[in-house]
Amino acid sequence: MNGSVNPVRIVVGVDGSQASLAALREAVRLAELLGAAVEAVAAWEPPAKPSSYQARGIGSFEEGARRVLDQALADAFGPVLPQALSARTERGGAAAVLADASRGARYLVVGRRGHGGIMGTLLGSVSAQSINQADCPVIVVR
């Protein structure tokens, strides 16, 4: 065994907001200090009435979340991403997805005020919920 069976992991929530970009940068900075891997996670959910969105030409919400995540990574780091960074989308509410992703992580990093659901009716609610639901210490980046 090489000792890397359970590498140190930092999870960061990404929604494309400026706060989530700051959280991404902070997670990578912390990971460099700890020799950790960073998992960037973007959550997505279909709306309760998807037919109204389909009528407007809005297609796959998962693909949309992936585009937001990819753009956020490019905005935070430019064309060359940090080597220890991985990224994925997960279906579900942001707080629940991040709580699940935090299992076994050293830290969960979130921005203080993001977009929330579809461009945010309850700003800051995901960070507040994450503090209560995460399975590890939570760092809220301003």
Side-chain angles (χ1 to χ4, degrees), residues 7-133:
V8 176
R9 202 168 48 87
I10 298 171
V11 175
V12 59
V14 179
D15 67 2
S17 67
Q18 289 302 309
S20 77
L21 298 181
L24 267 170
R25 292 183 191 109
E26 182 62 20
V28 167
R29 186 192 68 75
L30 186 58
E32 289 170 353
L33 295 171
L34 298 175
V38 175
E39 291 180 11
V41 180
W44 66 275
E45 294 187 280
K49 296 183 180 185
S51 59
S52 63
Y53 289 91
Q54 292 165 346
R56 293 185 193 134
I58 299 172
S60 169
F61 290 92
E62 182 175 15
E63 288 175 23
R66 187 66 213 193
R67 282 193 300 273
V68 167
L69 179 58
D70 290 343
Q71 185 62 55
L73 296 174
D75 290 348
F77 304 112
V80 180
L81 298 180
Q83 195 169 13
L85 176 67
S86 64
R88 69 177 193 277
T89 61
E90 291 287 332
R91 182 179 181 159
V97 165
L98 293 174
D100 286 343
S102 75
R103 288 192 186 99
R106 181 65 184 99
Y107 296 107
L108 170 61
V109 183
V110 293
R112 189 182 85 176
R113 298 175 73 89
H115 291 309
I118 294 191
M119 302 312 280
T121 45
L122 298 173
L123 294 177
S125 64
V126 171
S127 57
Q129 291 174 39
S130 294
I131 291 167
N132 292 316
Q133 296 176 12

